[in-house]
Amino acid sequence: MLLLCGKSCTGKSTIIEELRKLGIKEVVSYSTRPPRPGEVDGIAYHFITKEEFFEKEKQGFFAETTSYNVASGETWHYGSAMEDLTDDKVIIVNPHGLKQIRKMKQLNPIAFHIIASKTTIMDRAKKRGDNTDEVLRSLIADDFDFEDINSYIDFAFRSDLGLSPKVMAEMILYTYRKTMEDKNN
């Protein structure tokens, strides 16, 4: 399974769009956060209520879950369905989700850390129209959440060095396939 892990606005979703064009299926996670403008239910996320999320969690539906206390005071919950996680797919996870998936014996996760500078992250967040308070909260939380990330990733790629998302996706996919091939030999 190909895992993309990175702070907010590092380019993970854009890279996934390119990976989909290359034939890789994406795991669509579940979220209780409201959709951003232009996000489509079932494509960006499966947008569900908190009640639905907690019921699915209680039933053991999720392989991994995480929650964020956001600047508005709300808590947004995210999770990935156990049945959706297979080695032929890609998923975006945070460090907590990455650690949970690494424990799943039936998967062969290869984790890629997508990195961008704080300046790039701020610029991308502004262009995306994100709430400034939420971006600042996220930057602070990400510093803590990603503190020991190098212990859990296999490869790191910078998304702010001028490479197109298409080229990055091709590099990641090549690295993923080569690593899986080496593991199987």
Side-chain angles (χ1 to χ4, degrees), residues 24-36:
I24 301 298
K25 295 177 187 143
E26 176 187 4
V27 173
V28 179
S29 298
Y30 291 74
S31 180
T32 64
R33 80 158 168 77
R36 292 186 186 113

Side-chain angles (χ1 to χ4, degrees), residues 83-161:
E83 66 186 28
D84 291 343
L85 301 187
T86 56
D87 279 336
D88 62 338
K89 294 182 182 171
V90 62
I91 187 172
I92 294 174
V93 292
N94 71 357
H96 183 67
L98 172 60
K99 292 170 190 175
Q100 291 174 69
I101 290 173
R102 282 244 182 247
K103 293 177 184 174
M104 298 177 70
K105 301 295 183 215
Q106 70 273 29
L107 294 176
N108 293 297
I110 308 295
F112 292 81
H113 183 197
I114 308 302
I115 303 167
S117 70
K118 284 188 179 182
T119 302
T120 298
I121 289 171
M122 289 298 291
D123 289 346
R124 289 176 180 171
K126 284 179 189 174
K127 286 179 187 166
R128 190 165 78 178
D130 289 1
N131 174 288
T132 304
D133 289 340
E134 180 53 27
V135 172
L136 294 174
R137 184 223 48 90
S138 180
L139 282 172
I140 292 166
D142 281 348
D143 283 344
F144 175 76
D145 291 344
F146 282 79
E147 196 171 57
D148 66 344
I149 192 68
N150 290 334
S151 301
Y152 298 95
I153 60 157
D154 300 293
F155 302 96
F157 283 83
R158 290 202 67 96
S159 67
D160 58 355
L161 298 179

Side-chain angles (χ1 to χ4, degrees), residues 5-116:
C5 188
K7 296 178 179 181
S8 295
C9 294
T10 54
K12 302 175 302 292
S13 295
T14 306
I15 291 168
I16 283 213
E17 286 176 30
E18 295 298 328
L19 286 168
R20 281 198 312 256
K21 292 176 188 174
L22 296 170
I24 301 298
K25 295 177 187 143
E26 176 187 4
V27 173
V28 179
S29 298
Y30 291 74
S31 180
T32 64
R33 80 158 168 77
R36 292 186 186 113
E39 287 184 327
V40 177
D41 184 43
I43 295 175
Y45 287 96
H46 296 288
F47 293 103
I48 59 176
T49 66
K50 286 182 182 180
E51 293 76 22
E52 290 170 312
F53 186 91
F54 295 138
E55 184 59 31
K56 286 182 179 304
E57 190 172 40
K58 191 169 79 175
Q59 294 169 354
F61 179 81
F62 295 118
E64 60 87 24
T65 62
T66 195
S67 300
Y68 296 104
N69 297 316
V70 297
S72 67
E74 294 177 87
T75 301
W76 294 342
H77 304 276
Y78 297 81
S80 302
M82 187 83 67
E83 66 186 28
D84 291 343
L85 301 187
T86 56
D87 279 336
D88 62 338
K89 294 182 182 171
V90 62
I91 187 172
I92 294 174
V93 292
N94 71 357
H96 183 67
L98 172 60
K99 292 170 190 175
Q100 291 174 69
I101 290 173
R102 282 244 182 247
K103 293 177 184 174
M104 298 177 70
K105 301 295 183 215
Q106 70 273 29
L107 294 176
N108 293 297
I110 308 295
F112 292 81
H113 183 197
I114 308 302
I115 303 167

Side-chain angles (χ1 to χ4, degrees), residues 110 112 155 157 170-180:
I110 308 295
F112 292 81
F155 302 96
F157 283 83
E170 289 169 346
M171 291 169 54
I172 288 169
L173 185 55
Y174 173 81
T175 304
Y176 171 72
R177 287 182 171 156
K178 180 75 173 126
T179 304
M180 289 298 284

